[in-house]
Amino acid sequence: MAVLTGSAHAGVALEARKLPMKFSWVSCQPNCGGWVSAVGVVTTNTPGDFDEFARGRQLRGTTIVLDSSGGSVNDAIALGRRWRNLGALTTVGTGVQTNTAQEAPADMAPVAYCESMCVFLLLSGTTRYVPETAHVRVHQIWMGDRANDARAATYSADDLMIVERDIGRLAKYTFDMGGTGDLLSLSLNVPPWQDLHELSREELRLTNLVTTDMVAQPGDLALVELTAKPAQDRFVSSSVSQTQRRRID
């Protein structure tokens, strides 16, 4: 997996997006209302963590800025539906402090990564923006406990049933969110023993992951909307039991 830059900040950001997802409110400059930072991997606790974060906050129509290596398929779908119900706007980036003064507002650094199931969280936004310097990467669903050596592992009929069931759930979610079949096709064609596929600018539009070309600040994401088109981490499928779950490792 590529490191953001050679700086110390980049190393910290890289580690943060591989830890369980954390939510924080980021204040920005006077002309921007601020945004929600969502950094890390989606786990079974993440939807509940977001509900706790959202309690007492007015988040309808807010902007959510993603920097994530992916995570649990079912839980990412649940979280994405929460964000769509809020009318959230989504983008890819990280919050950086541009002023050393304590409590100083932060700016959004667009150099960030949205990989595997994070891509489907990005899709949940009513408006979706991907900066030119952001990296959006996709991969195939797989069993979480066998993703590290997928070719050498063995699989039962129940395992195949679980994967196919979860592909169906992901497909329904994709179309519900306004994505296209191209997103599923691009994702499901990349097995876990290959590098993630980074979506080009053309593919971001083909999949309908991008709906706007221009933003001034992340708090003002919905500016120029495009015409909607017709309808080494990986995301994997969970098993029926509570001890196995979908996640991107």
Side-chain angles (χ1 to χ4, degrees):
M1 185 182 305
V3 176
L4 300 185
T5 70
S7 69
H9 170 76
V12 171
L14 177 63
E15 291 305 314
R17 66 185 175 84
K18 300 189 77 171
L19 296 173
M21 184 167 279
K22 299 294 184 185
F23 302 101
S24 58
W25 178 257
V26 181
S27 299
C28 54
Q29 304 299 333
N31 294 330
C32 166
W35 69 90
V36 175
S37 171
V39 180
V41 173
V42 177
T43 71
T44 55
N45 295 324
T46 303
D49 289 344
F50 180 76
D51 290 343
E52 182 64 28
F53 169 80
R55 189 169 292 114
R57 298 177 188 269
Q58 297 299 320
L59 296 183
R60 180 155 300 279
T62 193
T63 297
I64 299 175
V65 181
L66 286 155
D67 187 26
S68 170
S69 295
S72 163
V73 174
N74 273 344
D75 297 296
I77 289 174
L79 184 60
R81 291 195 184 280
R82 283 168 167 77
W83 292 358
R84 176 55 64 91
N85 289 337
L86 285 172
L89 317 178
T90 53
T91 187
V92 183
T94 57
V96 295
Q97 204 73 29
T98 56
N99 190 318
T100 56
Q102 199 170 23
E103 304 299 327
D107 290 327
M108 187 186 77
V111 182
Y113 292 78
C114 185
E115 298 172 330
S116 299
M117 279 309 295
C118 174
V119 176
F120 293 89
L121 285 176
L122 175 66
L123 187 63
S124 71
T126 56
T127 300
R128 305 180 285 274
Y129 170 68
V130 177
E132 294 282 349
T133 52
H135 303 275
V136 178
R137 298 172 173 174
V138 294
H139 213 281
Q140 198 173 75
I141 287 179
W142 211 263
M143 303 301 296
D145 57 350
R146 275 153 282 186
N148 289 335
D149 197 359
R151 278 175 154 165
T154 57
Y155 305 90
S156 68
D158 283 342
D159 293 334
L160 295 178
M161 178 276 295
I162 291 161
V163 172
E164 291 193 17
R165 179 200 65 190
D166 293 346
I167 289 173
R169 288 176 176 173
L170 191 61
K172 181 179 185 334
Y173 170 86
T174 297
F175 297 130
D176 286 348
M177 295 296 110
T180 70
D182 298 285
L183 177 57
L184 292 168
S185 178
L186 287 165
S187 301
L188 298 176
N189 271 292
V190 185
W193 51 84
Q194 293 181 6
D195 292 338
L196 281 78
H197 172 71
E198 181 157 343
L199 299 180
S200 65
R201 300 306 298 185
E202 180 181 356
E203 288 170 335
L204 287 170
R205 290 179 172 81
L206 181 68
T207 57
N208 211 24
L209 279 167
V210 169
T211 63
T212 186
D213 265 341
M214 187 189 313
V215 295
Q217 288 286 346
D220 302 313
L221 190 54
L223 294 185
V224 182
E225 297 223 17
L226 303 178
T227 302
K229 299 176 178 59
Q232 195 99 17
D233 287 347
R234 42 196 162 271
F235 58 89
V236 298
S237 176
S238 68
S239 70
V240 176
S241 71
Q242 292 183 348
T243 58
Q244 293 177 311
R245 58 192 174 88
R246 277 158 289 187
R247 63 163 296 165
I248 302 176
D249 293 323

